[in-house]
Amino acid sequence: MKKVILFFCIFVLFMSFKTTSFVTNAEFAGGFTSMQIDTLFKDKISIRAIVIDKNKVWYGADNSRFGYYDLDKNEKFEDHIYRDTLNLEFRSIAQTSKDIFLLSVGNPALLYSVSKKTQKVKLVYKEINPKVFYDSMQFWNDKEGIAIGDPTEDTFSIIVTRDGGETWTKLLSDKLPTNATGEAAFAASNTNIVIKGNDTWLVSGGKKARVFYSPDKAKTWKVIETPIVQGKEMTGIFTADFYDSKHGFIAGGDYSYTNKKSDNKAFTTNGGLTWQLIGQNMGFGYASCIQYVPGGNGKEIICVGSEGIQYSQNGGENWMQLSTDSKLFTIRFINRNTAIAAGYNKVLRLHFK
């Protein structure tokens, strides 16, 4: 293994009404050496689900709210979805070319489509069950999409659409792998589902931390064990990403011990068939969201979580702290050097150099 030597990190914080910058410089054997943070907006809000739509960043949030930030116009649009007296929390978001989809976590589970053109809202799926809790949602293409939820029986709750989100169908339990007792998923950052082409990976946590793999858009499934910490209610895999169909990364940890840095990161080079721990006692503890850096050859990874913003340029073996902000829940890249991060009371634009 290569050893990466960190010489120093310099953190500088600039704050203003509109923009906050955070710059750090470090020798890190190549890769990014600095980062600037622009605050797009602040509010009393919790955002765990974002999606990039050209010049817009769409988000689902707490208190029945959703909206977008226009990066070209520097303007925010926000609206509420009122449903009786329910206070909805949208932790899952996905898109097609025409619509945004928002899925609430708890009972009843409510899935809405929102027209990108008119912002018209339509309810497209409803599920009532005391155990219902949906965690993540993605689309394979403009017609086919998937959402995953905690088990209401003995398998994951999986709903799919084959008509562009107009209708959704829950897969029968006898067509799915059985979950272990106490095995579920975490709605931390809308990254429990990863899609590359027709390949789909779901990740679990709790009493078991496993990867569920489908090569054919949720028609058949294979279950793979992982070495990620497991066995308790708040342990397991909280987030996953794949650089391509072969190279992937899973992370999480123990939410009760957010600073524990062991058994919480693993990688695959064979499409998720096997997983190997990496970065033991290095970098971050609890991870809310990890994402591969575009154009980074599957070696550069960004994490947000209990240790702020962390960056690896050698596949997760070593990590450099770029920010101490532990209130970010999710992150998505616009391009190699620009990402959007969201979390508790804010949405940020990150510039990597």
Side-chain angles (χ1 to χ4, degrees), residues 179-321:
N179 286 56
T181 301
E183 180 183 22
F186 297 109
S189 57
N190 196 36
T191 50
N192 294 102
I193 303 173
V194 184
I195 287 174
K196 293 292 179 182
N198 293 341
D199 294 325
T200 308
W201 297 268
L202 314 180
V203 296
S204 71
K207 296 300 178 69
K208 297 287 286 185
R210 301 192 291 178
V211 173
F212 294 65
Y213 168 68
S214 171
D216 50 16
K217 301 179 187 174
K219 294 180 177 68
T220 61
W221 294 91
K222 177 182 178 63
V223 187
I224 301 104
E225 301 288 336
T226 80
I228 295 292
V229 60
Q230 52 200 278
K232 297 190 295 183
E233 184 179 1
M234 297 305 293
T235 58
I237 308 167
F238 283 75
T239 176
D241 195 22
F242 271 73
Y243 185 78
D244 53 32
S245 62
K246 297 297 183 183
H247 298 84
F249 202 88
I250 53 177
D254 188 339
Y255 194 73
S256 301
Y257 299 93
T258 57
N259 295 324
K260 185 180 178 182
K261 298 176 172 61
S262 60
D263 302 339
N264 66 330
K265 328 168 187 68
F267 72 96
T268 181
T269 57
N270 57 13
L273 298 180
T274 59
W275 295 87
Q276 182 179 336
L277 290 172
I278 194 170
Q280 289 286 66
N281 300 308
M282 301 287 289
F284 55 85
Y286 162 72
S288 178
C289 184
I290 55 100
Q291 291 286 280
Y292 279 104
V293 178
N297 261 354
K299 295 295 184 181
E300 293 180 85
I301 306 168
I302 291 288
C303 172
V304 298
S306 63
E307 308 291 329
I309 303 175
Q310 296 263 336
Y311 166 63
S312 174
Q313 59 89 47
N314 59 2
E317 184 178 336
N318 300 91
W319 297 83
M320 179 175 71
Q321 189 165 37

Side-chain angles (χ1 to χ4, degrees), residues 40-41 45-51 57-61 188-189 288-289 304-305 309 325-332 339-350:
L40 299 181
F41 70 86
I45 195 168
S46 176
I47 300 175
R48 293 180 179 270
I50 60 174
V51 67
V57 182
W58 288 85
Y59 62 88
S189 57
S288 178
C289 184
V304 298
I309 303 175
D325 188 346
S326 61
K327 300 299 184 182
L328 296 171
F329 303 143
T330 191
I331 183 171
R332 295 294 185 277
I340 303 297
Y344 183 68
N345 292 346
K346 59 197 165 190
V347 174
L348 310 176
R349 177 167 46 198
L350 311 179

Side-chain angles (χ1 to χ4, degrees), residues 8-27:
F8 61 90
C9 293
I10 301 174
F11 297 93
V12 183
L13 181 64
F14 300 100
M15 296 188 67
S16 66
F17 174 76
K18 180 67 180 177
T19 303
T20 300
S21 296
F22 185 107
V23 180
T24 178
N25 296 297
E27 291 188 31

Side-chain angles (χ1 to χ4, degrees), residues 6-284:
L6 302 181
F7 287 102
F8 61 90
C9 293
I10 301 174
F11 297 93
V12 183
L13 181 64
F14 300 100
M15 296 188 67
S16 66
F17 174 76
K18 180 67 180 177
T19 303
T20 300
S21 296
F22 185 107
V23 180
T24 178
N25 296 297
E27 291 188 31
F28 195 59
F32 299 139
T33 58
S34 66
M35 183 182 72
Q36 176 181 307
I37 300 178
D38 298 331
T39 301
L40 299 181
F41 70 86
K42 291 185 177 181
D43 198 355
K44 188 176 181 180
I45 195 168
S46 176
I47 300 175
R48 293 180 179 270
I50 60 174
V51 67
I52 309 298
D53 174 33
K54 298 177 182 176
N55 64 313
K56 293 184 176 67
V57 182
W58 288 85
Y59 62 88
D62 60 349
N63 294 322
S64 302
R65 290 176 290 180
F66 76 96
Y68 64 78
Y69 188 88
D70 190 311
L71 297 170
D72 291 340
K73 298 179 180 178
N74 293 320
E75 294 176 352
K76 182 181 75 164
F77 165 83
E78 186 170 284
D79 203 352
H80 294 72
I81 297 179
Y82 294 108
R83 181 80 179 189
D84 301 324
T85 59
L86 297 175
N87 186 8
L88 304 176
E89 183 170 6
F90 299 114
R91 293 197 183 188
S92 299
I93 192 170
Q95 67 173 324
T96 61
S97 60
K98 295 181 179 180
D99 298 303
I100 295 292
F101 293 85
L102 299 158
L103 177 57
S104 65
V105 289
N107 185 32
L110 301 173
L111 175 52
Y112 294 92
S113 66
V114 181
S115 168
K116 291 181 180 181
K117 185 176 182 180
T118 66
Q119 285 78 59
K120 181 180 179 181
V121 175
K122 180 170 67 172
L123 180 66
V124 293
Y125 180 79
K126 179 179 180 179
E127 183 176 343
I128 299 175
N129 191 302
K131 295 181 179 180
V132 73
F133 194 94
Y134 276 92
D135 304 281
S136 188
M137 177 170 52
Q138 300 288 341
F139 271 77
W140 290 287
N141 50 54
D142 243 14
K143 290 294 183 181
E144 299 171 290
I146 180 175
I148 173 183
D150 292 352
T152 56
E153 298 179 20
D154 59 355
T155 67
F156 272 130
S157 296
I158 297 178
I159 58 174
V160 296
T161 181
R162 308 290 184 185
D163 60 4
E166 287 293 321
T167 60
W168 295 75
T169 302
K170 189 169 185 177
L171 300 184
L172 298 176
S173 291
D174 60 5
K175 301 295 183 182
L176 298 171
T178 301
N179 286 56
T181 301
E183 180 183 22
F186 297 109
S189 57
N190 196 36
T191 50
N192 294 102
I193 303 173
V194 184
I195 287 174
K196 293 292 179 182
N198 293 341
D199 294 325
T200 308
W201 297 268
L202 314 180
V203 296
S204 71
K207 296 300 178 69
K208 297 287 286 185
R210 301 192 291 178
V211 173
F212 294 65
Y213 168 68
S214 171
D216 50 16
K217 301 179 187 174
K219 294 180 177 68
T220 61
W221 294 91
K222 177 182 178 63
V223 187
I224 301 104
E225 301 288 336
T226 80
I228 295 292
V229 60
Q230 52 200 278
K232 297 190 295 183
E233 184 179 1
M234 297 305 293
T235 58
I237 308 167
F238 283 75
T239 176
D241 195 22
F242 271 73
Y243 185 78
D244 53 32
S245 62
K246 297 297 183 183
H247 298 84
F249 202 88
I250 53 177
D254 188 339
Y255 194 73
S256 301
Y257 299 93
T258 57
N259 295 324
K260 185 180 178 182
K261 298 176 172 61
S262 60
D263 302 339
N264 66 330
K265 328 168 187 68
F267 72 96
T268 181
T269 57
N270 57 13
L273 298 180
T274 59
W275 295 87
Q276 182 179 336
L277 290 172
I278 194 170
Q280 289 286 66
N281 300 308
M282 301 287 289
F284 55 85

